[in-house]
Amino acid sequence: PGFSLLKVTPAHLDALRQLLPPSSLAGQANTIVVGGEQLTAAMVEFWRDYAPGTRIINEYGPTETVVGCCVYEVEPGTPRDGAIPIGRPIDNMRMHILDAQLEPLPPGVAGEIYIAGPQVGRGYLGQPGLTAERFVADPFGPPGTRMYRTGDLARRRADGVIDYLGRLDDQVKLRG
């Protein structure tokens, strides 16, 4: 009897790989949603090899934008090396890859991820300066809307899929 859905970080996924014998993987979970850190092909290789019927979904999204606002499903044709893409935004969300002047960048060019849509938070409680820095006017949306400046570096592929490339600053996640 397996799980219909398992949601973990890449570190948890690796811990499970170390704890579970390969012969026991098939049927343990119908879908594994992985998020919270960059996911690489090496991290999912074990699952792809020993539980090929398990769907693996890479999920991206900061807390300020309802967490899971961009997804990519690992498919048989997904390369077995390098980073797994973060994919495409979910319904009602928009993700822009912009330069320092908030201009859209063409496919293949790296820039900062900005997220817009109804799931974007209002700001940080009691921190108006940080709110003004991170929640900026959305020049691509209806008047009065804002987008969240993530501090994450990415590029959009020609097919529209987004590759996460890392942080633009020295931010380190502690306790999630």
Side-chain angles (χ1 to χ4, degrees):
F3 298 95
S4 59
L5 176 74
L6 179 63
K7 187 169 182 179
V8 296
T9 65
H12 288 122
L13 193 67
D14 190 52
L16 288 173
R17 178 190 61 79
Q18 294 175 38
L19 292 171
L20 298 172
S23 61
S24 74
L25 286 186
Q28 288 294 324
N30 293 337
T31 303
I32 300 175
V33 177
V34 188
E37 307 161 357
Q38 187 173 38
L39 182 64
T40 67
M43 294 171 180
V44 298
E45 182 174 7
F46 184 72
W47 298 90
R48 291 174 79 177
D49 289 344
Y50 296 104
T54 299
R55 293 175 65 204
I56 301 171
I57 299 173
N58 191 19
E59 181 180 69
Y60 167 86
T63 301
E64 294 85 348
T65 64
V66 85
V67 181
C69 63
C70 189
V71 295
Y72 179 85
E73 184 166 353
V74 177
E75 297 179 349
T78 300
R80 289 187 167 256
D81 62 342
I84 300 291
I86 59 173
R88 299 175 193 273
I90 63 170
D91 287 346
N92 292 327
M93 296 300 287
R94 296 181 322 280
M95 294 184 68
H96 306 287
I97 311 299
L98 306 176
D99 66 15
Q101 290 74 42
L102 301 182
E103 292 294 327
L105 293 165
V109 178
E112 187 169 0
I113 299 174
Y114 285 76
I115 303 171
Q119 290 93 332
V120 172
R122 295 175 144 191
Y124 299 109
L125 184 63
Q127 296 187 36
L130 186 56
T131 294
E133 177 186 326
R134 291 292 180 182
F135 294 85
V136 299
D138 180 359
F140 312 105
T145 60
R146 294 189 297 169
M147 55 186 181
Y148 177 66
R149 180 180 176 205
T150 67
D152 289 329
L153 184 67
R155 70 174 164 244
R156 189 177 310 272
R157 297 178 180 180
D159 64 1
V161 170
I162 298 171
D163 289 323
Y164 175 82
L165 302 174
R167 291 289 303 167
L168 289 165
D169 56 23
D170 295 327
Q171 176 180 311
V172 175
K173 290 179 84 168
L174 298 175
R175 294 180 293 280

